Amino acid sequence: MIAAPEIPSEFSYTQDTDTRFSSDTDFSEDPDGRGANSAKGKGGKKGKKAAGEKGKGGKGAGRINGHHQENGMENMMLFEVVKLGRSAMQSVVDDWIESYKHDRDVALLDLINFFIQCSGCKGVVSGEMFRNMQNSEIIRRMTEEFDEDSGDYPLTIAGPQWKKFKSSFCEFILVLVRQCQYSIIYDEYMMDTVISLLTGLSDSQVRAFRHTSTLAAMKLMTALVNVALNLSINMDNTQRQYEAERNKMVAKRANDRLELLLQKRKELQENQDEIENMMNAIFKGVFVHRYRDSIAEIRAICIEEIGVWMKLYSDAFLNDSYLKYVGWTMHDKQGEVRLKCLTALQGLYYNRELNARLELFTSRFKDRIVSMTLDKEYDVAVQAIKLLTLVLNTDEVLTPEDCESVYHLVYSAHRPVAVAAGEFLYKKLFSQREPEEEGAPKRRGRQSPNANLIKTTVFFFLESELHEHAAYLVDSLWECGAELLKDWECMISLLLDDPLPGEEALTDRQETALIEIMLCTVRQAAECHPPVGRGTGKRVMTAKEKKTQLDDRTRMTELFAVALPPLLAKYAVDAEKVTNLLQLPQFFDLEIYTTGRLEKHLESLLRQIREIVEKHTDTEVLESCSKTYHALCNEEFTIFNRVDIARSQLLDELVDKFNRLLEDFLQEGEDADEDDAYQVLSTLKRITAFHNAHDLSGWDLFTSNFKLLNTGIENGDMPEQIVIHSLQCTHYVILWHLAKSSEGSSRKDDLVTLRKQMRAFCMMCQRYLTNVNTAVKEQAFTILCDLLLIFSHQMVSGSREHLESLIYSPEDSLQSELLSFILNHVFIDQDDDTNSTDGQQDDEAVKIEALHKRRNLLAAYCKLIIYCVVEMKTGADIFKQYMRYYNDYGDIIKETMSKTRQIDKIQCAKTLILSLQQLFNEMLSELGHGFDRSSSAFCGIKELARRFSLTFGLDQVKTRDAIAMLHKDGIEFAFKDPSPQGEGGPPLNLAFLDILSEFSSKLMRQDKRTVHMYLERFMTFQMALQREDCWLPLISYRNSLQAGGDDDTMSVMSGYSSRGSSIRSKKAKPPAAAESSSSSEVWQQSMQTPVMMPSPHLTSTAMRDPKRGRDDSYMGVYPLPHDQQQQHTLCKTRTRSARPEGQISARSHLGDAVLVLFRSRRGTGLMEEDEEPIVEDVMMSSEGRMDDLNEGMDFDTMDIDLPPSKNRRERSELKPDYFDPASIMDESSGFNFKQ
């Protein structure tokens, strides 16, 4: 009971962790059956008031009842004050203590009701209940008065007023114990009552009670740990004073003081014993049960608080007996709990003096911590890496394999994980620097302390065989090693200066890696945001960050403006190094060239770039040169004129050379040798690379390139690369001309010229679609798709009506050729792709690159469909490939379907049904009209129809017209061609109705009747009477329209289920309940077909098990087991009450079919993204694994035994770092790690 008359100070429990306190547990009862003599400490001295005795203030029971009339407001005030959290908590607690001193029963009743209200319960514990009822009875009564309409309670309610409730609630408990620590908590009444209440509530099945009481009990335990720590300090002080007094000479020794100190030490020891009893009660009664509670929040509270205990009072709690709970819980299935385990351990490993006590725990659970770096919850993985970073303080605990498993995470796409791994890597590899002598000049360049660390970074980057992303490595190390990474002076010295005597020079591969890392550090410092793939959106920089950015840009410009020309000169012939070096000027502060008087270095840079353009023909190098000129040609800076002159001189020479070479090359014709072709190609490459970033309209490149392309068409022997680059260059000419015309200042003649050039070039590209070379065809196709999209009807938007004359719509022939190209070059098997040469067809990288190229081609064409450049019906040839090429292009095709539906729902539906019709016709031409409907080809078409049906979603109102049109086209197609067997046979395409039935579930109730009537227009009287297998698609489709006619959510039923249901319904249907349709008699006769039909292919896809195909024991035909029938009795009863009597039997079997539907749809389909897969937590161990972890461990719960006091001289300060230098393993603790 809460206020028992005789509560012993010693709470006795068995040593089994499975000991549980039931809701009626009372600490006044002796669990071992012993008498009250088993009590110890103060229990034998202090008695307790009986239920009928007066309280401390002399008030009787009537006073309590009388006070309770006003107690509701007072208690509400206590709850409201804590809820608001505005007042000083200490004053609130002091008021309660005064009330307790006046009448402890009434004050304690207020506190009990406070905990009840904090749980969200509306009930109030009265004084009568407090005196006469057991804990279990009170909790049961409160449970009955709990508001079950809402699952929220103060700890879980959202909103600003409850935002600080948890922190205020916890603070109240901590302050309460702190203010009562010198007297009230030892009166064997208040704490015993509170602990008994919280223990009972924590065992409740009501989540709110369990959650709130567990939080309160854990915070109460934390407060008691602080009290125990203070007692330990006082005992140390008393012992020190006693020893000092006793060591005095006899004449100077004060015996009275010795006796006083002995008495004080005895009292402190008694208090410490009582605190131990209280902590034992909480730990055994609450923690050992709630740390494995079914609610993750409760488990997290327990683990968080035990980490606090071990950190606060390590002498008592930091041992394997308590660490085991944290170790076991690291396997919890909820990331929130695993996260609390790691944060608790971080607080312990952070203090190096505690590492010795953690050795056995580390050796036992190290592998688990390492594995958690790959946790599916990123927050858990981050904290696991941070914990391992702290573990590095312990010598040689982590093996090289353990470290390597963390190293590769610096390349993770999730930035917090990568940054944490970068800190681990930096501490492991870069934390040891060469000490610098005091007073010695600071070493720079190659001799700086960072030189070896930069080399180490290069070595690590090269050894990361699985990754080649220097930008990711730099970003991971940026926060912890920015000073090292921004030592560009040292990097430049390593590249340009000769090695010191005895120093090994960098290899060519190492120099390449260093240049790449150097470029990434420059980009990171200039842009101040993570690389692509790691960004979390734009972040507003602080003033300090902006200043750092400006300082870094100034410093890097001053360094590299001088160093870049010699670096380019040294590595001029190395394409990879030059490509990276040429990107550096893009991040310069170009004003420094003028303010720093660095014009001569600019001239040197321009000379080096010109030489590189003349030496190289590699596309990447040339594009880098083009971008560098573009970055330097900024009209805002004074260096523009100088750079513009250099660029113009270079382009004049290139264009003149190209025109001269091209004229000679075309004149020679077939007599042209390879050297002439190479000269033309190399010059054309340079011009094309520059035309990408610079406007070369003044050089009239269209005429020469068009002449070259026309010659290639006429002769057919033009080299492949020349044609590809000529197409690209002409494409740039058109785009630059359009860009100038879009400004609105162009003349009409310019628009006419552009229109002629654009149309002529499109025709040229169309002619190249039939080229024998695949690469040329792909280039022509890509450019043609881009031009058609740019010059479509949408180009006039944005106040550009003056460009209307430029709109170009492709003719039917061009649309047909584009579609043919896609079908012939994209939808092919991997082995059929002949682009891979030199025996590299099996090379995985080549296959991936080829697939990437095909995906780009398909995306280019799908954009034409989305923007209505080509007719939407051409998408039917794309959509029908959805299932066959799902792994390669499924995302592109699905997105295209989604976009087309947004544009025109009806036309999209017509396109989908057209794709199914095309597949059906292809199947007929391959298998003939007598095909088997259980064949894989037919089943594949039907499954594709089901996927299409799923894309329409659940809102039938939005898709109503589209679905109706789809059924209309499908019915017309099914009856379009007569029977090949002559009159009386089924139409040629009748089996298509079986495919069309997959869309019946998307029809609204009234639309099903309308579609049914439309179907009857194509049927004859004889068709309705047919029962042969060849007519079953018609029967199945009719049933799908009728069976779901009263239930919009019903999926498509198979012919089996519907016919069986119809027979049963006919037996009970009176004439008055017959259909009102004019053909009701025909339908009644047609639905009287045998139930047991031997055609398995009629089973609806809705009933198909996705893993096994069709279910031979189809549950829509055969009755359900008795127990399953009982589960659906209520549903069937409600159905009967809402429908005519004659429909009851049929609808009952539909209910059975719904059960099969939901069971069979558990599989994940290609388009079923509404149902998330259920993924087993990879980090949660099975019960078997937990048994292995627990093997050899003693589960007996130990008593909390505070360590013996020590002399205060051994303590450095009064903080939670009081350590026992003795053995960390207590043989009597009852728990040992398995060795």
Side-chain angles (χ1 to χ4, degrees):
M1 68 185 98
I2 294 180
E6 294 181 1
I7 301 180
S9 61
E10 172 73 6
F11 300 99
S12 303
Y13 302 96
T14 59
Q15 296 297 308
D16 188 1
T17 56
D18 288 332
T19 301
R20 293 183 62 85
F21 290 96
S22 62
S23 58
D24 60 348
T25 301
D26 191 348
F27 291 118
S28 64
E29 300 172 359
D30 188 1
D32 294 330
R34 303 189 183 96
N37 295 332
S38 62
K40 68 178 182 178
K42 288 189 176 182
K45 298 179 179 180
K46 298 182 179 180
K48 291 211 172 179
K49 296 184 181 181
E53 293 185 35
K54 294 182 179 181
K56 187 174 182 180
K59 304 294 181 182
R63 173 69 181 86
I64 297 178
N65 287 333
H67 184 276
H68 183 67
Q69 302 301 322
E70 302 174 357
N71 187 49
M73 180 58 67
E74 294 180 7
N75 184 57
M76 180 62 70
M77 289 302 294
L78 179 61
F79 173 72
E80 289 295 333
V81 168
V82 174
K83 171 185 171 183
L84 296 176
R86 295 176 182 173
S87 303
M89 201 60 66
Q90 183 167 339
S91 63
V92 177
V93 172
D94 289 342
D95 292 342
W96 182 88
I97 292 176
E98 289 299 322
S99 174
Y100 184 83
K101 291 178 179 179
H102 178 71
D103 191 329
R104 66 181 189 179
D105 287 337
V106 173
L108 207 51
L109 185 59
D110 290 344
L111 188 60
I112 291 171
N113 280 311
F114 167 72
F115 286 122
I116 296 297
Q117 281 195 333
C118 289
S119 301
C121 181
K122 304 299 183 182
V124 177
V125 180
S126 65
E128 187 69 23
M129 296 166 59
F130 178 58
R131 291 193 307 273
N132 301 324
M133 295 177 65
Q134 297 285 334
N135 279 349
S136 58
E137 296 172 346
I138 293 176
I139 295 174
R140 189 181 303 113
R141 180 75 62 85
M142 294 299 102
T143 302
E144 293 172 357
E145 299 184 18
F146 207 96
D147 182 15
E148 297 182 358
D149 295 338
S150 173
D152 291 333
Y153 48 95
L155 290 181
T156 60
I157 296 177
Q161 61 177 340
W162 300 100
K163 187 175 182 180
K164 297 182 179 180
F165 175 79
K166 181 178 179 180
S167 59
S168 299
F169 178 70
C170 298
E171 183 185 0
F172 174 79
I173 297 174
L174 295 175
V175 174
L176 177 64
V177 175
R178 187 180 67 207
Q179 295 300 101
C180 299
Q181 65 177 319
Y182 297 110
S183 60
I184 296 179
I185 64 173
Y186 303 113
D187 67 357
E188 298 182 352
Y189 185 67
M190 189 270 281
M191 290 300 295
D192 294 350
T193 305
V194 171
I195 292 174
S196 177
L197 172 72
L198 295 179
T199 303
L201 288 174
S202 69
D203 201 32
S204 172
Q205 294 194 8
V206 178
R207 171 177 175 170
F209 280 149
R210 209 164 66 250
H211 188 181
T212 308
S213 61
T214 301
L215 176 62
M218 294 298 99
K219 291 299 179 181
L220 187 63
M221 179 78 167
T222 302
L224 291 175
V225 169
N226 281 302
V227 173
L229 190 58
N230 291 334
L231 285 174
S232 176
I233 295 172
N234 291 332
M235 289 183 67
D236 286 342
N237 291 335
T238 304
Q239 181 67 24
R240 178 182 57 80
Q241 294 172 5
Y242 177 80
E243 294 293 340
E245 189 68 28
R246 192 180 62 176
N247 291 334
K248 291 181 180 179
M249 297 176 60
V250 178
K252 296 182 179 181
R253 184 184 304 166
N255 293 329
D256 294 341
R257 179 172 172 79
L258 287 175
E259 292 179 3
L260 184 63
L261 291 173
L262 284 174
Q263 182 64 27
K264 182 179 179 181
R265 187 177 65 177
K266 183 179 179 181
E267 291 179 1
L268 291 173
Q269 184 62 49
E270 290 177 353
N271 290 342
Q272 190 176 45
D273 292 341
E274 286 204 21
I275 296 298
E276 289 182 16
N277 293 335
M278 298 175 193
M279 292 193 296
N280 272 317
I282 298 175
F283 188 81
K284 295 179 180 180
V286 181
F287 178 88
V288 296
H289 304 302
R290 299 281 70 82
Y291 91 96
R292 49 189 176 184
D293 194 277
S294 60
I295 305 301
E297 292 92 333
I298 298 177
R299 300 197 300 272
I301 289 171
C302 294
I303 296 303
E304 181 180 15
E305 292 306 313
I306 196 176
V308 174
W309 309 336
M310 290 186 288
K311 184 179 179 181
L312 280 178
Y313 202 177
S314 57
D315 288 343
F317 291 95
L318 188 55
N319 55 63
D320 49 330
S321 299
Y322 297 97
L323 284 169
K324 65 180 180 182
Y325 295 106
V326 181
W328 292 340
T329 314
M330 283 195 295
H331 294 272
D332 196 276
K333 63 181 179 181
Q334 294 295 329
E336 174 188 359
V337 184
R338 299 195 300 271
L339 187 64
K340 293 297 183 182
C341 294
L342 295 172
T343 53
L345 291 173
Q346 287 176 15
L348 302 177
Y349 280 98
Y350 183 79
N351 193 329
R352 296 193 179 188
E353 297 183 21
L354 300 180
N355 287 346
R357 303 186 186 187
L358 294 167
E359 285 182 359
L360 291 178
F361 176 85
T362 304
S363 62
R364 178 67 181 84
F365 292 99
K366 180 198 66 175
D367 293 340
R368 171 59 184 159
I369 299 173
V370 172
S371 68
M372 292 175 76
T373 59
L374 299 176
D375 196 282
K376 69 176 185 179
E377 300 285 346
Y378 286 125
D379 292 341
V380 177
V382 170
Q383 298 305 323
I385 298 171
K386 290 184 177 180
L387 178 58
L388 289 176
T389 306
L390 295 174
V391 174
L392 288 175
N393 297 330
T394 307
D395 296 335
E396 299 180 358
V397 171
L398 298 179
T399 64
E401 291 76 14
D402 297 333
C403 295
E404 289 175 3
S405 65
V406 181
Y407 289 161
H408 77 275
L409 293 177
V410 297
Y411 298 102
S412 172
H414 191 261
R415 192 168 190 270
V417 172
V419 170
E423 293 177 359
F424 179 90
L425 175 65
Y426 188 83
K427 185 173 182 179
K428 180 67 176 177
L429 299 183
F430 308 138
S431 58
Q432 298 180 354
R433 293 170 173 258
E434 296 180 4
E436 294 190 23
E437 298 180 1
E438 295 184 2
K442 187 175 181 180
R443 293 178 295 172
R444 295 180 176 275
R446 200 179 192 99
Q447 298 180 356
S448 70
N450 288 335
N452 288 332
L453 300 181
I454 292 175
K455 289 182 181 179
T456 304
T457 306
V458 173
F459 299 155
F460 173 81
F461 175 62
L462 292 175
E463 290 174 1
S464 303
E465 298 177 356
L466 298 177
H467 305 279
E468 298 178 356
H469 305 291
Y472 279 63
L473 174 61
V474 169
D475 181 56
S476 301
L477 295 172
W478 193 255
E479 293 188 6
C480 58
E483 180 183 356
L484 168 66
L485 296 175
K486 289 192 290 188
D487 193 350
W488 298 303
E489 186 178 358
C490 179
M491 297 180 186
I492 294 171
S493 178
L494 288 173
L495 292 171
L496 292 177
D497 298 346
D498 295 330
L500 300 174
E503 181 185 7
E504 186 176 353
L506 294 176
T507 63
D508 180 71
R509 186 163 173 258
Q510 291 169 353
E511 289 178 338
T512 302
L514 177 56
I515 292 175
E516 185 176 358
I517 292 174
M518 182 174 66
L519 170 63
C520 294
T521 59
V522 169
R523 181 187 294 113
Q524 186 89 3
E527 297 180 348
C528 293
H529 64 75
V532 177
R534 270 196 190 163
T536 56
K538 292 186 177 181
R539 184 178 65 88
V540 179
M541 293 192 299
T542 62
K544 182 178 179 181
E545 290 174 337
K546 291 181 179 179
K547 183 179 184 304
T548 303
Q549 181 187 28
L550 293 175
D551 294 343
D552 289 340
R553 287 193 66 187
T554 301
R555 192 167 66 89
M556 79 172 65
T557 305
E558 292 173 348
L559 287 173
F560 286 103
V562 177
L564 185 56
L567 285 172
L568 291 174
K570 181 177 180 180
Y571 301 109
V573 295
D574 193 317
E576 186 176 1
K577 294 185 179 70
V578 167
T579 302
N580 288 326
L581 289 172
L582 285 172
Q583 297 181 46
L584 292 174
Q586 300 175 25
F587 309 102
F588 284 0
D589 181 3
L590 299 181
E591 190 67 29
I592 302 296
Y593 274 111
T594 304
T595 59
R597 300 183 180 277
L598 302 176
E599 289 86 353
K600 63 176 183 179
H601 297 287
L602 176 62
E603 294 288 348
S604 177
L605 175 62
L606 295 175
R607 284 196 305 269
Q608 291 297 329
I609 296 176
R610 181 187 180 94
E611 292 178 4
I612 291 172
V613 172
E614 295 173 351
K615 289 180 181 179
H616 289 270
T617 59
D618 186 80
T619 303
E620 292 185 359
V621 176
L622 296 175
E623 288 182 352
S624 296
C625 294
S626 175
K627 291 178 181 178
T628 302
Y629 271 115
H630 184 267
L632 296 175
C633 286
N634 192 328
E635 297 181 1
E636 297 179 0
F637 301 100
T638 56
I639 64 172
F640 169 74
N641 292 330
R642 187 173 303 187
V643 179
D644 185 49
I645 292 173
R647 179 186 61 176
S648 300
Q649 292 176 349
L650 175 62
L651 291 176
D652 282 339
E653 295 180 6
L654 289 176
V655 174
D656 292 343
K657 181 180 179 180
F658 173 70
N659 291 330
R660 185 176 64 256
L661 291 173
L662 180 61
E663 184 177 356
D664 296 339
F665 179 75
L666 295 179
Q667 288 180 354
E668 294 178 2
E670 297 179 356
D671 298 333
D673 54 14
E674 294 183 0
D675 185 60
D676 295 335
Y678 175 79
Q679 291 293 332
V680 173
L681 175 60
S682 60
T683 307
L684 183 58
K685 274 186 174 183
R686 297 183 178 104
I687 294 175
T688 303
F690 273 85
H691 209 350
N692 187 10
H694 304 270
D695 183 10
L696 308 185
S697 302
W699 282 271
D700 189 21
L701 292 170
F702 181 84
T703 303
S704 55
N705 278 281
F706 193 82
K707 184 177 180 181
L708 188 152
L709 293 172
N710 194 42
T711 304
I713 288 291
E714 294 175 354
N715 300 337
D717 58 351
M718 188 67 67
E720 167 191 328
Q721 289 299 317
I722 292 181
V723 175
I724 290 175
H725 285 85
S726 182
L727 287 170
Q728 190 66 52
C729 186
T730 310
H731 181 49
Y732 290 148
V733 172
I734 300 294
L735 295 182
W736 277 107
H737 198 168
L738 175 63
K740 294 179 65 177
S741 300
S742 300
E743 297 174 357
S745 59
S746 58
R747 297 175 301 175
K748 185 176 180 179
D749 294 342
D750 294 335
L751 292 178
V752 173
T753 303
L754 175 58
R755 184 172 184 270
K756 291 180 179 179
Q757 291 180 350
M758 179 268 298
R759 291 179 177 268
F761 183 56
C762 287
M763 293 180 62
M764 183 66 69
C765 291
Q766 182 178 357
R767 296 171 67 184
Y768 269 104
L769 286 177
T770 58
N771 193 278
V772 295
N773 191 282
T774 303
V776 173
K777 288 190 290 187
E778 290 177 350
Q779 180 77 341
F781 176 85
T782 303
I783 292 176
L784 197 52
C785 289
D786 288 344
L787 288 176
L788 291 176
L789 189 62
I790 294 171
F791 289 90
S792 66
H793 59 279
Q794 303 197 27
M795 71 181 305
V796 297
S797 59
S799 302
R800 292 195 296 264
E801 290 78 6
H802 63 283
L803 301 178
E804 186 176 359
S805 60
L806 298 177
I807 296 177
Y808 177 60
S809 299
E811 300 176 354
D812 293 342
S813 60
L814 177 55
Q815 294 187 35
S816 177
E817 287 190 45
L818 291 174
L819 180 59
S820 299
F821 178 87
I822 287 292
L823 297 178
N824 296 330
H825 292 82
V826 174
F827 295 108
I828 58 176
D829 295 331
Q830 188 77 37
D831 296 336
D832 296 339
D833 188 4
T834 57
N835 290 342
S836 301
T837 57
D838 300 331
Q840 295 180 336
Q841 195 154 354
D842 295 333
D843 187 359
E844 199 66 28
V846 174
K847 289 184 178 180
I848 293 175
E849 182 63 27
L851 175 61
H852 181 66
K853 185 184 299 183
R854 293 197 299 271
R855 284 175 59 85
N856 287 337
L857 294 174
L858 178 61
Y861 184 77
C862 288
K863 283 190 288 186
L864 299 181
I865 300 176
I866 293 173
Y867 290 97
C868 302
V869 178
V870 298
E871 295 182 6
M872 190 179 295
K873 66 180 182 180
T874 59
D877 292 278
I878 306 296
F879 298 161
K880 70 182 182 182
Q881 308 289 347
Y882 179 79
M883 287 188 61
R884 182 178 179 185
Y885 294 97
Y886 177 78
N887 291 333
D888 294 341
Y889 318 117
D891 55 336
I892 299 176
I893 298 176
K894 187 175 181 180
E895 183 66 18
T896 304
M897 283 190 286
S898 175
K899 294 295 184 182
T900 53
R901 184 176 291 111
Q902 295 175 15
I903 297 171
D904 190 338
K905 294 183 178 64
I906 295 179
Q907 188 61 37
C908 177
K910 294 173 72 71
T911 305
L912 291 179
I913 200 67
L914 177 60
S915 65
L916 296 173
Q917 293 170 3
Q918 291 178 358
L919 288 174
F920 187 83
N921 288 331
E922 293 173 5
M923 181 193 66
L924 285 181
S925 61
E926 181 181 351
L927 302 180
H929 66 276
F931 67 92
D932 185 3
R933 288 191 297 277
S934 62
S935 63
S936 59
F938 185 79
C939 292
I941 301 175
K942 196 170 183 181
E943 180 65 16
L944 178 60
R946 190 175 78 86
R947 309 296 182 192
F948 285 168
S949 175
L950 292 173
T951 62
F952 284 94
L954 300 176
D955 192 342
Q956 293 178 324
V957 177
K958 289 183 178 180
T959 60
R960 181 180 183 182
D961 295 339
I963 292 294
M965 182 60 67
L966 185 146
H967 280 272
K968 175 180 178 296
D969 289 357
I971 292 172
E972 294 175 353
F973 175 77
F975 291 92
K976 180 178 66 172
D977 297 328
S979 172
Q981 302 173 1
E983 187 176 356
L988 179 63
N989 300 332
L990 187 67
F992 188 78
L993 293 177
D994 203 7
I995 299 172
L996 190 61
S997 64
E998 294 297 337
F999 298 91
S1000 297
S1001 62
K1002 299 299 179 181
L1003 283 168
M1004 298 184 69
R1005 182 186 310 168
Q1006 56 269 38
D1007 292 341
K1008 287 183 179 181
R1009 290 193 290 267
T1010 304
V1011 172
H1012 187 205
M1013 294 175 61
Y1014 188 75
L1015 175 65
E1016 290 180 342
R1017 293 171 54 185
F1018 293 85
M1019 294 174 55
T1020 64
F1021 182 79
Q1022 294 298 328
M1023 288 183 183
L1025 300 178
Q1026 298 298 329
R1027 294 295 175 271
E1028 290 80 6
D1029 288 354
C1030 59
W1031 292 95
L1032 288 178
L1034 175 60
I1035 300 172
S1036 175
Y1037 182 55
R1038 291 172 58 199
N1039 289 336
S1040 70
L1041 297 176
Q1042 284 190 336
D1046 295 325
D1047 189 355
D1048 292 341
T1049 62
M1050 183 64 61
S1051 184
V1052 180
M1053 303 299 299
S1054 72
Y1056 284 131
S1057 177
S1058 299
R1059 291 193 307 279
S1061 302
S1062 300
I1063 290 175
R1064 297 177 180 86
S1065 64
K1066 291 298 176 182
K1067 294 179 181 179
K1069 176 179 281 191
E1075 295 286 343
S1076 60
S1077 174
S1078 60
S1079 59
S1080 59
E1081 296 181 0
V1082 177
W1083 283 110
Q1084 292 176 13
Q1085 296 175 3
S1086 64
M1087 295 181 70
Q1088 294 177 359
T1089 54
V1091 178
M1092 304 299 293
M1093 298 294 288
S1095 302
H1097 56 265
L1098 275 179
T1099 304
S1100 171
T1101 55
M1103 305 304 168
R1104 186 182 309 144
D1105 188 347
K1107 295 182 179 180
R1108 297 187 304 148
R1110 307 184 189 280
D1111 190 355
D1112 295 333
S1113 60
Y1114 171 54
M1115 298 179 68
V1117 178
Y1118 304 104
L1120 293 171
H1122 179 68
D1123 57 343
Q1124 296 181 9
Q1125 291 178 358
Q1126 289 180 344
Q1127 296 175 7
H1128 296 272
T1129 301
L1130 179 60
C1131 177
K1132 297 175 184 178
T1133 303
R1134 293 176 179 173
T1135 306
R1136 293 188 183 97
S1137 64
R1139 288 183 176 81
E1141 181 182 356
Q1143 299 182 16
I1144 293 177
S1145 179
R1147 298 300 296 143
S1148 66
H1149 288 277
L1150 291 177
D1152 294 348
V1154 173
L1155 175 64
V1156 182
L1157 169 68
F1158 283 104
R1159 289 181 175 175
S1160 62
R1161 286 292 177 91
R1162 293 299 296 174
T1164 304
L1166 299 180
M1167 294 172 126
E1168 297 170 355
E1169 63 183 7
D1170 292 336
E1171 186 176 80
E1172 290 292 334
I1174 300 175
V1175 183
E1176 191 76 11
D1177 191 323
V1178 295
M1179 290 304 176
M1180 180 56 188
S1181 63
S1182 61
E1183 293 183 3
R1185 175 158 175 76
M1186 287 300 293
D1187 293 340
D1188 296 338
L1189 289 170
N1190 300 339
E1191 183 179 355
M1193 297 186 179
D1194 190 349
F1195 281 82
D1196 290 346
T1197 305
M1198 63 292 164
D1199 286 334
I1200 297 176
D1201 189 10
L1202 298 180
S1205 61
K1206 297 176 291 183
N1207 194 295
R1208 184 163 182 168
R1209 296 172 183 174
E1210 300 176 10
R1211 306 176 185 274
S1212 59
E1213 53 184 354
L1214 298 181
K1215 288 187 178 181
D1217 55 354
Y1218 308 107
F1219 313 111
D1220 185 359
S1223 172
I1224 67 169
M1225 299 298 294
D1226 185 1
E1227 296 180 358
S1228 62
S1229 63
F1231 169 76
N1232 289 294
F1233 289 100
K1234 187 177 179 181
Q1235 298 295 321

